[in-house]
Amino acid sequence: MMLSLSPWDRWYSTSCCLCCHVRTGTIILGVWYMLINAVVLLILLTALGDPEQYHLTSAELANDLDIMDDTNMCIASAISMLMILVCGMATYGAYKLHAAWIIPFFCYQIFDFGLNALVAVSTVVYPNTIQDYLQQLPDNFPYKEEIAALSNVCLVLIVLLFISCILCFKAYLIACVWNCYRYVSGRAGADILLYVSTNDTTVLLPPYDDSMAVPPKEAPPPYSSATA
């Protein structure tokens, strides 16, 4: 008899990247995100220490916005520090088998995936925003004139293809972290059910505490041999 599996169980796997365990993959992913955010934080702190070197004026940005002021850099630095903390929690949780520590990083992945999906939707709904964004780029930006010469339909298709590849990759990473959370939750659970599998039979054993709580049966009456 075939057992129907839920979609979560059907896509559950303890391996990722074809050869890596989901726990190891989550640790590597957390360390990688921490390194990226640490580099960003170092650049932002350096820019705060020497604002004249890293300050971009409105003329250089070809618009009336000044995105590299001290307030925005302080906010970006705080976000980078928060991301380092979240990624560190996920790495520690995967290493020490603490499932609750992985949840903040998983929520960040969902939020990041949603933002990228909104960018893809806005690209389809408002295709002219791509040309507006290209006009705001500096004049020395590589291949700016060649890209701006393309039609709106071609630009939308290129952007959608690029964002779709990013979304697929991010969805795969989300699945890896979720499978790691399920694996750690199963390992850390105190009342894990044991399954003893044979060729075509699966026996479900009750937890040890439930088995000990069952009162023992009465002993059978003593055997007496029949007398003639």
Side-chain angles (χ1 to χ4, degrees), residues 37 59 68 146 154:
N37 286 277
M68 294 301 291
E146 289 79 0
C154 185

Side-chain angles (χ1 to χ4, degrees), residues 68-127:
M68 294 301 291
D69 57 357
D70 293 342
T71 304
N72 291 330
M73 284 194 294
C74 289
I75 295 175
S77 301
I79 294 175
S80 298
M81 294 178 64
L82 179 61
M83 285 304 307
I84 293 175
L85 177 62
V86 171
C87 298
M89 290 174 59
T91 304
Y92 178 82
Y95 180 73
K96 292 294 186 178
L97 297 178
H98 296 315
W101 291 63
I102 306 177
I103 295 178
F105 183 70
F106 178 76
C107 294
Y108 157 73
Q109 286 184 302
I110 297 295
F111 179 75
D112 182 58
F113 183 86
L115 287 181
N116 285 271
L118 288 177
V119 171
V121 173
S122 64
T123 302
V124 177
V125 177
Y126 304 103

Side-chain angles (χ1 to χ4, degrees), residues 123 127-132 148-158:
T123 302
N128 294 328
T129 55
I130 302 177
Q131 291 288 350
D132 297 337
L150 298 175
S151 62
N152 287 337
V153 177
C154 185
L155 286 175
V156 169
L157 291 177
I158 293 175

